[in-house]
């Protein structure tokens, strides 16, 4: 079975073209925001979901920067957050004296990003800001101060462009809504 066969049945929420438009716009906004600061900039992406977004986004930021990743988990294999965040991998570099931009693929309840903000905030960075490709504003349980956001979406479980269901669909080039039927098929894999 080809991924394209499965994805042809999914309803596309955000196309490849729209993703590209968002990364270009965010790249410009981020460049403008950090352009006049003398301190270095470090981008911290969240694995694995934001890997594709971060890879595209940093090439649209016209500034010298460093890149690091954390891996956090809260979902396990479900479509609902467990509410408890676990650090699987911390950043390698020190962020002391630097501007840090945390980059998330999607903010749902906000619990993961809130946890990450607290984790990095205690490390003597000059500033800590947040960027995401997608957010589901109706679901936020905590007030998450996101400075750079691609798109606000309604409360759907979405896959593609890094986002997964049970580890699948990350390589879909667009963002699609995971329907019940496709979810059941994925449960069999
Ligand atoms: P939060 O802690 O509820 O904000 O969830 C954040 C994390 O859950 C994101 O980084 C994603 O990895 C995952 N997540 C939330 N919503 C979705 C979705 O619709 N599709 C796939 N993953 C999601
Ligand atoms: Mg994530």
């Amino acid at each position: 079975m080809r991924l394209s066969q499965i994805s042809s049945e999914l309803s596309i929420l955000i196309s490849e073209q729209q993703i590209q438009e968002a990364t270009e716009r965010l790249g410009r906004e981020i460049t403008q925001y950090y352009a006049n600061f003398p301190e270095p900039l470090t981008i911290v992406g969240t694995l694995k979901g934001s890997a594709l977004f971060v890879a595209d986004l940093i090439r649209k930021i016209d500034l010298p920067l460093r890149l690091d990743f954390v891996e956090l988990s809260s979902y396990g294999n479900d479509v609902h957050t467990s509410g408890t965040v676990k650090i699987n991998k911390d950043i390698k570099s020190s962020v002391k004296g630097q501007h840090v931009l945390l980059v998330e693929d999607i903010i749902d309840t906000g619990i993961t990003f809130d946890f990450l903000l607290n984790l990095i905030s205690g490390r003597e960075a000059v500033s800590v800001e947040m960027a995401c490709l997608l957010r589901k504003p109706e679901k936020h349980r905590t007030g998450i101060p996101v400075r750079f956001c691609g798109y606000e979406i309604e409360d759907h479980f979405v896959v593609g462009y890094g986002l997964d269901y049970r580890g699948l669909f990350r390589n879909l080039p667009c963002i699609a809504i995971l329907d019940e039927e496709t979810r059941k098929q994925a449960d069999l894999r």
Side-chain angles (χ1 to χ4, degrees):
M1 179 72 130
R2 302 284 172 110
L3 179 66
S4 51
Q5 276 171 275
I6 301 170
S7 64
S8 66
E9 319 224 316
L10 294 178
S11 78
I12 295 173
L13 189 64
I14 299 177
S15 66
E16 282 185 76
Q17 169 75 29
Q18 287 172 304
I19 292 173
Q20 198 188 324
E21 283 165 15
T23 54
E24 283 170 3
R25 172 173 56 80
L26 293 174
R28 279 193 304 273
E29 288 175 15
I30 292 165
T31 302
Q32 218 166 24
Y33 183 79
Y34 289 104
N36 297 319
F37 290 122
E39 300 89 357
L41 172 63
T42 294
I43 305 278
V44 176
T46 54
L47 291 173
K48 308 180 185 77
S50 76
L52 280 71
F53 175 47
V54 168
D56 285 339
L57 180 65
I58 60 169
R59 284 177 284 179
K60 304 292 178 205
I61 302 174
D62 186 15
L63 298 169
L65 57 82
R66 293 189 175 84
L67 177 62
D68 209 331
F69 286 99
V70 287
E71 186 174 354
L72 304 173
S73 58
S74 67
Y75 271 61
N77 276 338
D78 201 0
V79 293
H80 300 292
T81 179
S82 66
T84 338
V85 184
K86 217 176 74 196
I87 308 174
N88 296 336
K89 180 211 167 294
D90 202 341
I91 51 172
K92 284 262 158 61
S93 39
S94 159
V95 293
K96 187 175 175 180
Q98 310 204 2
H99 293 280
V100 178
L101 179 62
L102 307 173
V103 180
E104 231 326 15
D105 43 5
I106 184 163
I107 303 175
D108 184 349
T109 60
I111 292 171
T112 308
F113 228 13
D114 199 41
F115 177 90
L116 183 59
L117 181 62
N118 286 329
L119 180 77
I120 302 295
S121 290
R123 298 188 181 176
E124 297 178 78
V126 180
S127 72
V128 184
E129 296 290 349
M130 307 176 123
C132 66
L133 177 61
L134 306 173
R135 67 191 293 186
K136 302 179 192 171
E138 13 169 319
K139 289 280 293 293
H140 293 1
R141 286 186 208 160
T142 46
I144 301 292
V146 181
R147 187 170 286 275
F148 309 101
C149 175
Y151 295 106
E152 294 197 342
I153 63 168
E154 284 176 16
D155 183 20
H156 303 291
F157 192 83
V158 290
V159 292
Y161 193 64
L163 294 161
D164 73 304
Y165 173 66
R166 298 180 61 126
L168 294 169
F169 308 113
R170 292 193 200 276
N171 55 333
L172 205 63
C174 60
I175 291 176
I177 298 169
L178 184 70
D179 62 277
E180 202 53 39
E181 191 47 43
T182 314
R183 187 179 149 186
K184 280 187 194 143
Q185 281 178 32
D187 284 338
L188 300 173
R189 282 173 191 269

